[in-house]
Amino acid sequence: MCERFAPSPTGLLHLGHAFSALTAWDAARQSGAGFRLRIEDIDISRARPEFEAAIYRDLAWLGLQWPRPVMRQSERMPAYKDALNILIKKDLCYPCSCTRRDIATALAAPQEGSDGTGVDGQVYPGTCRNRPISSRTDKDAIRLNMAKAIRHLGGDAAIKALQFVEIGGTAAITHRLDAGDLMTSCGDIVLARRDIGTSYHLAVVVDDAAESVSTVTRGRDMFEATRIHRLLQALLGLPTPGYRHHRLIRDVNGKRLAKRDDARSIDAYRAAGKSVADIRHLLGL
Ligand code: GLU
């Protein structure tokens, strides 16, 4: 049993991160579960050592403790490659050379029903879908063929049997996957970016399983992505944790806090003389 907090070192932690971290930490203390910190630094163009150092400093200041060494995603590429190879061997993947612009152009043609926006930005129009995996080059991303993945798992009825439990509110709620919804709002998601060799979705699923995470705590903005994670767990034969998608912490104007909003960083509150009790009070904890 283990709770986790999995920040990306791409900016200073703000109140929203403190809320995630403290919620997971408090739940771990209450249930006697372990608490783990994972550094999600696969995006090497944005991750910075100084932000990783700030994560350790801020969390220690908030009173959290975690086992060391921490898992760092940048050191886990072989595990992500193995997971990708499982999906490639099942014939569920294809290489894709489309740029964002190619996708926008393909989607500019009128679509029936939807405007093409999905969980991961634009739902991929399928331009490269018929390319064999053997045609993969260094310039390609790898995508999941969603229709094939659904068939592989047994079709509509089997997909409906895939569930995850949301444990955030007063009562646990079971959410079921839906094949039609996966097709229209997720589509052929990227499993491995050309520059990184994996994607957030693949890495987070592999790592939550590797760390035996029993509850994933993160913001409500990640809720829609969870069905992708549940699907990948089914395809890879990995266990499904419980999910606690918490309310988003907003500024006085109701805007979601962003990493560039340094004024609301934990660091700035500490520098202004606030205590951990003040932070907890601000967050309603
Ligand atoms: N690394 C993500 C972030 O910092 C969190 C993802 C997750 O908790 O699953 O936004």
Side-chain angles (χ1 to χ4, degrees), residues 14 33 55 74 80 98-99 103-104 113 118 135 143-144 189 199 213 221 226 235 251 254 272:
H14 56 57
I55 289 172
S74 55
Y80 307 143
C98 292
T99 59
I103 295 172
S135 70
R143 288 185 181 273
L144 179 72
I189 51 150
S199 64
V213 167
D221 53 333
T226 299
L235 291 169
D251 67 13

Side-chain angles (χ1 to χ4, degrees), residues 4-10 13 17 20 38-41 55 73 200 204-205 208 216-219 221-222 226 229 243 245 256 259:
R4 56 81 150 170
F5 177 54
S8 301
T10 53
L13 296 187
H17 297 105
S20 277
R38 178 166 72 235
I39 301 294
E40 300 211 321
D41 59 349
I55 289 172
Q73 289 193 322
Y200 161 65
V204 81
V205 160
D208 282 332
V216 169
T217 301
R218 58 190 178 197
D221 53 333
M222 297 303 305
T226 299
H229 302 167
Y243 288 87
H245 293 100
R256 219 179 96 199
K259 285 231 168 109

Side-chain angles (χ1 to χ4, degrees), residues 11-12 14 255 258-263:
L12 290 172
H14 56 57
K255 238 182 86 220
K259 285 231 168 109
R260 51 192 176 279
D261 191 0
D262 283 355

Side-chain angles (χ1 to χ4, degrees), residues 3-274:
E3 298 272 341
R4 56 81 150 170
F5 177 54
S8 301
T10 53
L12 290 172
L13 296 187
H14 56 57
L15 282 183
H17 297 105
F19 190 60
S20 277
L22 288 167
T23 300
W25 170 254
D26 290 351
R29 299 310 293 255
Q30 257 172 30
S31 67
F35 173 83
R36 285 183 178 277
L37 170 64
R38 178 166 72 235
I39 301 294
E40 300 211 321
D41 59 349
I42 46 170
D43 194 345
I44 35 174
S45 64
R46 292 169 61 225
R48 299 263 181 281
E50 60 270 30
F51 292 135
E52 185 173 330
I55 289 172
Y56 300 135
R57 187 183 65 225
D58 291 345
L59 295 181
W61 180 72
L62 286 170
L64 277 55
Q65 289 160 20
W66 56 91
R68 287 152 225 244
V70 299
M71 181 178 276
R72 298 172 73 240
Q73 289 193 322
S74 55
E75 293 165 0
R76 301 260 306 144
M77 291 303 158
Y80 307 143
K81 202 169 167 190
D82 288 350
L84 182 65
N85 280 335
I86 291 175
L87 301 176
I88 289 176
K89 284 213 182 84
K90 291 181 193 281
D91 190 26
L92 302 177
C93 306
Y94 61 88
C96 171
S97 58
C98 292
T99 59
R100 270 174 212 272
R101 182 188 291 234
D102 294 336
I103 295 172
T105 309
L107 285 171
Q111 298 255 323
E112 261 181 64
S114 124
D115 66 354
T117 312
V119 174
D120 251 355
Q122 298 291 321
V123 175
Y124 183 60
T127 320
C128 291
R129 192 174 290 139
N130 293 324
R131 280 183 57 192
I133 198 78
S134 56
S135 70
R136 179 182 186 180
T137 73
D138 291 350
K139 294 192 179 59
D140 290 321
I142 301 292
R143 288 185 181 273
L144 179 72
N145 183 322
M146 185 60 81
K148 273 192 185 176
I150 290 169
R151 278 199 301 277
H152 178 82
L153 289 169
D156 286 6
I159 295 294
K160 280 215 167 58
L162 298 181
Q163 353 179 301
F164 64 91
V165 177
E166 178 71 39
I167 57 171
T170 39
I173 300 174
T174 300
H175 294 275
R176 288 174 191 284
L177 266 51
D178 178 85
D181 172 64
L182 285 170
M183 290 297 291
T184 53
S185 65
C186 303
D188 294 357
I189 51 150
V190 171
L191 294 171
R193 280 167 47 170
R194 84 196 79 205
D195 53 341
I196 292 178
T198 183
S199 64
Y200 161 65
H201 300 307
L202 187 65
V204 81
V205 160
V206 168
D207 290 346
D208 282 332
E211 294 200 290
S212 303
V213 167
S214 46
T215 309
V216 169
T217 301
R218 58 190 178 197
R220 181 71 184 70
D221 53 333
M222 297 303 305
F223 180 83
E224 304 297 336
T226 299
R227 57 193 128 152
I228 296 177
H229 302 167
R230 181 65 188 90
L231 181 82
L232 291 177
Q233 286 153 5
L235 291 169
L236 292 167
L238 298 175
T240 300
Y243 288 87
R244 186 187 292 118
H245 293 100
H246 61 70
R247 66 185 162 88
L248 298 179
I249 305 300
R250 300 177 185 276
D251 67 13
V252 282
N253 301 315
K255 238 182 86 220
R256 219 179 96 199
L257 299 182
K259 285 231 168 109
R260 51 192 176 279
D261 191 0
D262 283 355
R264 284 181 187 75
S265 66
I266 311 295
D267 198 56
Y269 280 104
R270 186 175 50 231
K274 299 280 184 209

